[in-house]
Amino acid sequence: MINFIINMHTILKNLNILNTQIQDELKKNKNINKIPNIVAVSKTFPIEKIMPLIENNHIHFGENKVQEAILKWTNIKQKYKNIKLHLVGKLQTNKVKFAVQLFDYIHSLDNLKLANKISEIEKKLNKKTKIFIQVNIGNETQKNGIDKKNVLEFYNTCKDLNLDIVGTMCIPPDDNKTEFYFEQMNEINNKLNLNELSMGMSNDYLKAIHYSATFLRIGTNIFGKRN
């Protein structure tokens, strides 16, 4: 019980620190015109560690795996209607039905086959999900995402499929050029006239807000290191 109380206090304190840092950054830089939301990425952590944030009215939570999210969040979302659940990990086509039923946002639309499947399932379920196109902004062969040269064409296809594309998402390369990639993502978003931009994690979230990020996907800085 003592360990749980300490962990609960630490988690709330960590979130408050993040919010303070972001507010300080916004005050220092008047040219930042979008206030970002923190998506608390709770993958691998039990619901007991997440409840302090829920009970303190935090809204946005992120999970990487559909099956884990079903087990953790199905009952919680029925009780706490204001919670917005974000799928931030890779989505397989055979999990689309479950993802559309549970998640409010999907951050990882990365190919045409998946777009078609989401469209098909949404029609069957009569339910719309807010979707981000994942951009392979560094053109890395080992990463998923749409090549930045093809984003406009892919976006238009998604609109033809009646998908609710709200923004774009990226995981930039780890090559010390993070702000260069964030700037490119902001330019892509502006060209597509999209309002939401999912980028920035525990190691680069303060940089991301300078380039109009609206959703920061932060896990370690809130919950600590994963086992």
Side-chain angles (χ1 to χ4, degrees), residues 9-19 221-224:
H9 175 75
T10 301
I11 289 167
L12 290 174
K13 180 180 178 182
N14 289 344
L15 182 62
N16 287 333
I17 289 171
L18 288 171
N19 280 316
N221 284 15
I222 298 173
F223 296 105

Side-chain angles (χ1 to χ4, degrees), residues 22-227:
I22 290 168
Q23 289 302 317
D24 287 346
E25 202 71 19
L26 294 174
K27 289 175 184 176
K28 287 189 297 184
N29 298 273
K30 302 298 183 182
N31 60 323
I32 301 174
N33 55 15
K34 291 187 177 180
I35 300 174
N37 299 283
I38 294 175
V39 178
V41 180
S42 48
K43 63 180 181 180
T44 76
F45 289 103
I47 200 67
E48 290 79 14
K49 274 204 168 188
I50 304 166
M51 283 306 300
L53 300 184
I54 296 173
E55 292 172 348
N56 279 267
N57 300 314
H58 188 73
I59 294 174
H60 296 281
F61 294 87
E63 291 287 339
N64 269 46
K65 296 181 179 180
V66 174
Q67 196 61 39
E68 179 185 349
I70 291 171
L71 296 173
K72 283 165 59 174
W73 288 99
T74 299
N75 293 334
I76 293 294
K77 284 201 75 189
Q78 290 174 357
K79 182 178 179 181
Y80 297 89
K81 302 294 187 182
N82 63 325
I83 284 176
K84 301 299 180 185
L85 194 59
H86 300 246
L87 179 62
V88 298
K90 171 72 175 174
L91 176 57
Q92 305 291 341
T93 53
N94 64 344
K95 296 291 196 303
V96 168
K97 177 182 176 181
F98 307 105
V100 170
Q101 287 174 323
L102 182 64
F103 287 92
D104 303 281
Y105 294 81
I106 294 172
H107 288 238
S108 49
L109 175 55
D110 60 2
N111 64 77
L112 182 57
K113 181 181 178 182
L114 181 58
N116 280 308
K117 189 65 176 180
I118 293 173
S119 177
E120 173 194 330
I121 295 297
E122 286 188 337
K123 288 174 185 175
K124 287 181 179 179
L125 298 178
N126 192 29
K127 184 178 185 291
K128 301 292 286 185
T129 309
K130 298 182 183 301
I131 299 172
F132 293 81
I133 295 172
Q134 182 172 347
V135 181
N136 188 345
I137 194 63
N139 197 28
E140 297 174 277
T141 56
Q142 77 276 19
K143 283 186 181 176
N144 299 312
I146 306 300
D147 190 295
K148 58 189 175 185
K149 299 191 300 295
N150 301 326
V151 173
L152 176 58
E153 180 183 0
F154 184 74
Y155 169 76
N156 288 331
T157 300
C158 291
K159 298 303 288 182
D160 290 339
L161 291 169
N162 201 30
L163 297 180
D164 185 12
I165 304 297
V166 298
T168 58
M169 180 274 255
C170 79
I171 304 171
D174 185 16
D175 60 3
N176 297 316
K177 297 194 295 183
T178 302
E179 291 189 69
F180 169 74
Y181 299 115
F182 285 171
E183 183 176 19
Q184 286 190 324
M185 287 297 297
N186 191 24
E187 290 173 357
I188 290 170
N189 239 40
N190 288 335
K191 287 178 182 177
L192 299 178
N193 198 28
L194 295 171
N195 292 323
E196 309 297 347
L197 183 51
S198 170
M199 65 184 189
M201 296 188 286
S202 287
N203 61 335
D204 55 19
Y205 59 94
L206 290 179
K207 294 177 181 177
I209 67 176
H210 288 267
Y211 299 94
S212 301
T214 58
F215 286 97
L216 311 171
R217 310 182 307 272
I218 301 178
T220 302
N221 284 15
I222 298 173
F223 296 105
K225 292 184 178 180
R226 295 174 178 84
N227 294 328

